[in-house]
Amino acid sequence: MSRRMPSTSSRRGFTLVETGLAIIIVSTAMLAMLGANESFSKQNYWGERAAQAARLGGEIRERTMVLTMADPVTGTETWGPEFGEATVADWDDIDDYDGLDISGWASTGPIDSAGSVIPGMSQWRQAVRVQSVDPTNLAVVVANGSSEAVRVTVDVYWLDQPSSPGELMTTVTWVHVQ
Amino acid sequence: MMYSTNQSSRRGVSSVLAMIFMALVASLTAVMAIVSEGNVRSAESAVRVSRSLSAAESGLQAAAWRLRRESSRFVVEAGSLEDGFGDRLWRGTWVAADGTIQTQQVDGYLVPSTSGTGVMHAIYDAHVWHDSHGVILENGVAVTALIDEAAGVVYSQGIAIHDGDTAPWFQLKYEMLADGSGIRVTSRGMFDDVRRLVQMDFMLEKRIEYAVIGQSRIMIGKNVLVDGPIGALYGTMPGELDPENGDPLVLRSDFYDLDLVTLDPLLDSLHAVIQVGDADGDGRMRPAHAGEGAALDANPALQDHDGDQYVDEFDLFLFVFDVDDDDQVVYDPVLAHAAGYGTLVDEFAVDDDLAEMLDGADPDRNKDGVVDSLDTAMGYYDGVLDARDRYAKIRGHLSFAVDVASWESARSGSWQSRAEGVIRPSRSQAPSTFGVADPQLVSLTSDMFLNSTNWYEGKANLATPFLTQVASNGGWSGEMTDPEAVPWGSSGAYDIFDRPVYRNVVFGDVKIPMGTNALFVDCWFIGVTWIETTEDCTDNDWNYVGARELGPGGVPQLRFPEMTVDINGVTYSDTTPFSNNLRFDSCTFLGTLAGDRPLEYTHWRNKVQLTGNTRFFIDPEDEDMLAEPDAAILHGMLLAMPEVNREEMAKTSMMLPGWSVDVGNFDSDTSTKVKLTGTIVTGLIDVRGSADIHGTLLTTFRPVELQGPLAYGGTPDAFNTTLGYFGGDDGDMEGVDVNDPEFAGFGQITIRYDENATLPDGIPWPLQASPLSVTWYEGGSW
């Protein structure tokens, strides 16, 4: 009686090829997926930061929304903080905020609508520009203090390093008319 | 040897496992991709919402500016916008019964052809012809301004808030509220495809937002508190700032003459520091402020004794009179005991009128709409003076037509050398603002009040004649006064009158004939009291013809015996029979005192003096009235009046444009306090002694050298709006000096602006569009 031997050797070889191929495919797929995941993570971070940035822009808007253009204490329309107004807490008219540049790295910001530094946001920066604009054409910038309208622009940045200018996450702009 | 099939199954597992693993990782990656994409979209959406909301908010700001500019071009006579007038004004469909409506020229642009006459048309035209914003395309179509006449709605064009093709933009919709009281603005903010709507209502109203507006110099003396803004128009005409002509405003400290040894020198020091170092012009110094603190450093005697972070006159008062050093000055131990302080010792008895006035200032301290024990617990009328009384001479802001540089240049010093006392403005106002012009500060002339008295004159014309009313009250007894000085009780009298005296007469609506020149004592005037006079009195001599003075032996004699005046071919040697110089002593007015409108300020001839316990009431529920001993009678009489009459008369206690009016006594009897309500219009007004005014004081006379009463010389500083005590030397020469034996005290005067007061019809005044912040709403319809 003869025994019929199974042709295991050829099957074994195929398994090697198959395994190798599978490893290659899986590895390639894994690399691609890891890349994609990294990209998706970045997108997630961006989304989270963009939402945070929108919030930080809104905080400045809320803080300045009710301010007048002339200083309510002195009645003067001096551009920038008036004499004796040393900190944000002292600023009481809209143009006081022109040039405000605060960040978590510098421990000066970011601030909320009450003017308090928001804890746990050390890598954020708020930069404010206030410009006089023509109230009949808000796109036209005029000399500071020469108009009844100002445009406030808040740039919100994400900073990796203290010395870095940061990545501009969003810009919020609005107009204030006296 | 048998080979199982395990090998082949193992081979299969490896493949299947790899596939499963791949599928799992692929699924996770797909989920992550979806989540990640969702996060990005959410963030982008948040950014777009933020930007479109910013644009919408910007739109409301722009609308407020546009409404303020355009609505103030409409000068209306009607006192309120009720009964559909608001809607007619909006649509430009007003009728003759709405009174005269003047539309001022547009400012800063040209309108080649107007779209109509209403406020809505003015707004539309301004957006079309004044604005020059770039064109906004929405779905490829330009967003242009529109006016829907039938619906009464105006749309602005699309307005970008900065340059660039992707800028956020807004569009505005204006529409009249259903009740005609104001305008609803809806702002549509757009960024990408995200739209946010915000809306707010703007009340259209005619309001004079001042406690006092004066054409002449305003003098606010000692023991006077003003709760409301003050507008000073004086100082902008040529020569008005010359030193001999006075200042736009003079404020006299409440705290001088209480302690000459210690307090007065301290006050001098404080005022010297204020003149050089008060950065904000509020009459106080802040130790913690960089500049003001430095100015205080050189004066260690000037300390913040009440702990309110300011050094002001009240701190120095506290320092001098707070004997037990408990940061309180007790002036009424009985009151203090009733307020729960226990037994205290009186620390201040020099001027109880002042103490009572300071303690009673700002009654509703917790701002809950009622004055009760909670306010007493916060310091109101509790028998002690302390920081909780939040002393302020002016509880409001000062608006000056003059610019500060011109004023200070003319004086070679600070304007605050003329203004002593604390100014405590509302939170959003500066204490003092200069160079304020129309429409924030409107120049008043008596011409503006041409039609303001029509309703009152109409009532008086239907009244029973004066003498008939006197006769029905028992008739005139024939009593005459001794020659009486004018102003009454003044050391600087310029004329004397022998007055018929009417006592205890109860008048209904009445017209007092010209030439009456009477003294009314304890009389009641219910309804309209109209004073007749000759309006054409512009001849310079009209004021003086027939004037008398006491000659030798105290016998009256003519001051200018040779003087006559010719008017329209008629020669007058005495103008007193054609004028009216009246004094009301301890009279009760349940209504309005009004009169003909003299075309020239003739204070010797056309004058009204209110002395004694003269009272004005019109509100049946007036708490002060209900505290009167005869409250039940007063209440019943007021309720018996038609409500429509009461409403009309509540608009003004006194409508006497062009007249000289003296209110109060030259004494300090606070039990005889004159009370006025509503919009008080006079040529000039002097308020002395004790008075309480709840409303607005408007004076129309502006003194000009060599004109009118100054035609024969003199300087404008003799004609002031004088409120409260000034000595003979520091006032208008009519006051009694504090060292004079006849000096009877400083009195007590309060002037309280009534923000709810309605103006009488007939006063041409620009409309205001006031934002109602409580109506702000995110959403709305478009």
Side-chain angles (χ1 to χ4, degrees):
Chain A
M1 175 180 169
S2 65
R3 279 193 306 179
R4 189 176 172 192
M5 296 294 291
S7 55
T8 54
S9 60
S10 63
R11 278 192 204 113
R12 222 179 279 127
F14 180 77
T15 300
L16 270 177
V17 172
E18 180 191 57
T19 304
L21 202 58
I23 287 170
I24 290 167
I25 291 169
V26 167
S27 300
T28 307
M30 285 291 289
L31 283 174
M33 288 171 191
L34 282 173
N37 278 344
E38 188 183 346
S39 171
F40 298 146
S41 294
K42 281 183 180 175
Q43 276 191 318
N44 268 340
Y45 282 129
W46 184 90
E48 183 189 330
R49 288 170 191 165
Q52 288 280 30
R55 175 218 164 176
L56 292 177
E59 297 283 1
I60 299 286
R61 192 182 72 218
E62 281 182 34
R63 180 162 179 77
T64 58
M65 187 60 75
V66 295
L67 296 182
T68 57
M69 292 181 50
D71 187 279
V73 177
T74 64
T76 59
E77 298 189 357
T78 308
W79 196 265
E82 279 69 23
F83 178 68
E85 296 180 344
T87 67
V88 173
D90 301 322
W91 294 356
D92 50 8
D93 64 89
I94 194 90
D95 55 64
D96 293 348
Y97 285 80
D98 186 26
L100 174 70
D101 194 338
I102 49 180
S103 70
W105 288 115
S107 301
T108 52
I111 58 170
D112 61 16
S113 59
S116 306
V117 173
I118 304 170
M121 300 190 80
S122 60
Q123 291 176 296
W124 288 96
R125 173 184 165 209
Q126 292 160 313
V128 182
R129 276 173 292 144
V130 183
Q131 299 166 294
S132 287
V133 292
D134 180 353
T136 65
N137 186 349
L138 299 177
V140 175
V141 176
V142 297
N144 285 341
S146 65
S147 166
E148 294 173 282
V150 294
R151 186 168 63 223
V152 184
T153 307
V154 181
D155 292 328
V156 183
Y157 295 88
W158 166 261
L159 287 76
D160 284 333
Q161 301 295 326
S163 57
S164 151
E167 177 188 359
L168 178 63
M169 296 307 301
T170 194
T171 298
V172 184
T173 307
W174 64 94
V175 171
H176 200 100
V177 190
Q178 184 164 283
Chain B
M1 181 179 175
M2 292 284 290
Y3 286 90
S4 71
T5 57
N6 284 351
Q7 273 192 340
S8 61
S9 67
R10 274 201 292 273
R11 283 195 298 273
V13 165
S14 138
S15 242
V16 168
L17 281 176
M19 296 301 285
I20 290 171
F21 185 68
M22 273 189 66
L24 275 173
V25 172
S27 301
L28 282 171
T29 304
V31 167
M32 205 160 171
I34 292 165
V35 169
S36 168
E37 185 63 22
N39 278 350
V40 169
R41 285 187 182 177
S42 295
E44 284 180 344
S45 179
V47 169
R48 283 202 292 264
V49 166
S50 172
R51 289 179 180 169
S52 56
L53 186 60
S54 293
E57 291 281 12
S58 302
L60 282 187
Q61 293 266 338
W65 177 77
R66 180 58 71 195
L67 278 171
R68 189 175 64 248
R69 279 178 60 96
E70 302 311 322
S71 62
S72 66
R73 288 174 47 217
F74 289 78
V75 179
V76 302
E77 285 190 336
S80 75
L81 273 64
E82 294 171 354
D83 302 325
F85 177 46
D87 190 60
R88 292 193 292 277
L89 199 56
W90 175 247
R91 294 171 183 269
T93 56
W94 54 77
V95 295
D98 293 326
T100 304
I101 296 161
Q102 300 169 353
T103 309
Q104 308 291 316
Q105 290 295 310
V106 297
D107 179 19
Y109 61 103
L110 293 173
V111 179
S113 61
T114 59
S115 59
T117 57
V119 177
M120 66 182 288
H121 304 101
I123 291 168
Y124 171 76
D125 289 342
H127 276 299
V128 171
W129 300 108
H130 194 199
D131 287 353
S132 55
H133 307 285
V135 175
I136 295 292
L137 297 176
E138 186 176 33
N139 301 323
V141 179
V143 182
T144 57
L146 294 169
I147 184 165
D148 183 340
E149 296 268 4
V153 178
V154 173
Y155 293 89
S156 76
Q157 63 274 58
I159 299 170
I161 63 173
H162 59 76
D163 54 3
D165 295 336
T166 59
W169 57 276
F170 62 83
Q171 186 182 20
L172 301 168
K173 181 171 79 168
Y174 305 84
E175 55 195 327
M176 174 55 70
L177 295 173
D179 64 359
S181 62
I183 297 165
R184 173 160 296 160
V185 176
T186 307
S187 176
R188 177 170 72 111
M190 297 294 295
F191 181 71
D192 283 349
D193 56 345
V194 175
R195 181 180 84 164
R196 307 303 294 175
L197 294 177
V198 292
Q199 71 176 37
M200 190 158 67
D201 296 345
F202 293 76
M203 179 170 278
L204 269 185
E205 58 189 349
K206 195 177 128 182
R207 182 189 288 181
I208 301 175
E209 292 183 301
Y210 292 94
V212 182
I213 296 186
Q215 288 270 26
S216 62
R217 178 169 67 154
I218 299 172
M219 299 180 62
I220 296 177
K222 178 172 163 54
N223 286 24
V224 181
L225 298 186
V226 179
D227 190 349
I230 294 175
L233 291 149
Y234 189 77
T236 54
M237 304 279 278
E240 285 186 336
L241 290 176
D242 292 348
E244 66 273 18
N245 289 342
D247 297 276
L249 176 72
V250 176
L251 298 179
R252 193 186 195 280
S253 168
D254 292 320
F255 294 101
Y256 275 111
D257 297 319
L258 302 177
D259 179 273
L260 304 179
V261 176
T262 308
L263 183 54
D264 282 7
L266 282 172
L267 291 170
D268 289 342
S269 298
L270 176 64
H271 293 142
V273 170
I274 286 172
Q275 287 175 43
V276 298
D278 183 9
D280 52 2
D282 66 349
R284 303 181 288 182
M285 302 296 289
R286 291 165 287 177
H289 183 272
E292 294 186 359
L296 281 170
D297 287 344
N299 295 272
L302 305 178
Q303 297 289 328
D304 173 20
H305 292 286
D306 65 5
D308 68 350
Q309 307 299 311
Y310 289 93
V311 176
D312 60 25
E313 293 177 324
F314 187 76
D315 288 300
L316 307 182
F317 167 78
L318 206 59
F319 171 69
V320 172
F321 288 100
D322 178 17
V323 177
D324 57 5
D325 204 24
D326 63 351
D327 297 334
Q328 294 177 329
V329 172
V330 182
Y331 75 94
D332 189 336
V334 175
L335 204 56
H337 188 269
Y341 285 100
T343 303
L344 297 174
V345 176
D346 195 345
E347 294 171 304
F348 180 71
V350 182
D351 188 350
D352 279 345
D353 290 345
L354 173 66
E356 186 183 56
M357 186 172 65
L358 302 190
D359 201 22
D362 192 22
D364 185 13
R365 298 198 175 181
N366 59 357
K367 307 299 177 197
D368 65 350
V370 292
V371 178
D372 54 19
S373 59
L374 293 175
D375 299 299
T376 302
M378 296 176 74
Y380 166 67
Y381 209 52
D382 61 354
V384 302
L385 302 175
D386 55 21
R388 294 175 304 162
D389 294 312
R390 301 178 77 237
Y391 168 73
K393 187 158 187 67
I394 312 296
R395 207 174 292 274
H397 59 274
L398 308 179
S399 293
F400 296 95
V402 71
D403 68 271
V404 67
S406 300
W407 188 5
E408 294 194 330
S409 171
R411 293 292 167 276
S412 300
S414 167
W415 67 275
Q416 289 178 289
S417 64
R418 304 297 193 272
E420 302 164 344
V422 172
I423 301 157
R424 197 188 286 268
S426 62
R427 202 173 67 84
S428 60
Q429 287 281 356
S432 48
T433 310
F434 296 85
V436 183
D438 190 346
Q440 280 75 38
L441 187 57
V442 176
S443 186
L444 300 162
T445 64
S446 60
D447 294 343
M448 294 172 66
F449 299 91
L450 179 64
N451 300 318
S452 63
T453 53
N454 288 351
W455 187 90
Y456 308 99
E457 187 171 18
K459 299 294 282 184
N461 284 338
L462 298 173
T464 304
F466 174 78
L467 290 176
T468 305
Q469 295 199 43
V470 171
S472 65
N473 278 265
W476 176 48
S477 67
E479 181 184 358
M480 299 288 290
T481 63
D482 291 332
E484 182 179 292
V486 177
W488 187 73
S490 166
S491 58
Y494 42 71
D495 203 351
I496 53 175
F497 281 80
D498 302 324
R499 301 183 185 278
V501 182
Y502 298 96
R503 293 183 185 274
N504 302 307
V505 181
V506 178
F507 294 95
D509 291 337
V510 65
K511 179 177 281 189
I512 300 174
M514 66 174 72
T516 300
N517 298 313
L519 166 62
F520 297 91
V521 181
D522 294 325
C523 293
W524 286 53
F525 295 86
I526 302 161
V528 173
T529 304
W530 184 268
I531 308 174
E532 190 182 47
T533 191
T534 302
E535 294 194 341
D536 185 3
C537 56
T538 54
D539 189 291
N540 288 335
D541 294 338
W542 182 273
N543 202 25
Y544 311 110
V545 172
R548 299 185 305 159
E549 60 188 351
L550 291 178
V555 178
Q557 63 182 24
L558 288 173
R559 292 189 71 163
F560 313 107
E562 306 299 321
M563 184 181 282
T564 59
V565 61
D566 294 323
I567 304 288
N568 297 326
V570 179
T571 301
Y572 299 88
S573 57
D574 183 4
T575 51
T576 53
F578 308 98
S579 311
N580 245 329
N581 187 317
L582 303 168
R583 184 159 74 89
F584 300 90
D585 188 64
S586 295
C587 291
T588 298
F589 290 84
L590 302 182
T592 297
L593 181 59
D596 289 318
R597 186 173 57 100
L599 297 179
E600 181 57 87
Y601 182 74
T602 42
H603 58 301
W604 293 25
R605 289 292 159 266
N606 295 306
K607 189 175 191 73
V608 171
Q609 299 175 93
L610 307 173
T611 59
N613 188 24
T614 294
R615 310 175 294 179
F616 283 75
F617 295 115
I618 194 62
D619 178 5
E621 307 307 323
D622 184 329
E623 290 185 3
D624 292 330
M625 187 205 73
L626 295 174
E628 293 282 308
D630 53 354
I633 298 171
L634 294 165
H635 188 254
M637 285 183 162
L638 287 171
L639 285 181
M641 287 182 188
E643 189 174 349
V644 64
N645 289 3
R646 273 208 316 269
E647 284 180 2
E648 200 61 39
M649 291 187 288
K651 294 175 180 175
T652 175
S653 294
M654 200 182 293
M655 181 58 74
L656 293 168
W659 288 73
S660 169
V661 176
D662 290 352
V663 176
N665 309 301
F666 285 89
D667 62 40
S668 67
D669 185 358
T670 52
S671 66
T672 57
K673 179 176 281 190
V674 177
K675 291 174 61 70
L676 300 173
T677 57
T679 306
I680 314 299
V681 183
T682 66
L684 279 183
I685 189 166
D686 277 14
V687 185
R688 313 274 184 173
S690 297
D692 177 58
I693 298 165
H694 189 206
T696 297
L697 281 181
L698 306 178
T699 61
T700 60
F701 175 58
R702 189 160 192 153
V704 178
E705 277 188 278
L706 304 177
Q707 292 182 25
L710 292 171
Y712 292 110
T715 51
D717 69 338
F719 295 93
N720 312 300
T721 301
T722 309
L723 311 173
Y725 175 81
F726 282 92
D729 294 334
D730 58 359
D732 55 2
M733 311 307 288
E734 292 181 352
V736 180
D737 190 85
V738 69
N739 297 315
D740 192 303
E742 294 185 8
F743 176 74
F746 297 107
Q748 187 184 87
I749 293 174
T750 49
I751 301 169
R752 300 172 290 135
Y753 170 64
D754 181 3
E755 63 181 4
N756 298 316
T758 306
L759 287 178
D761 289 343
I763 302 175
W765 201 262
L767 280 180
Q768 272 180 266
S770 308
L772 294 170
S773 54
V774 293
T775 63
W776 185 93
Y777 173 68
E778 186 174 351
S781 60
W782 188 261

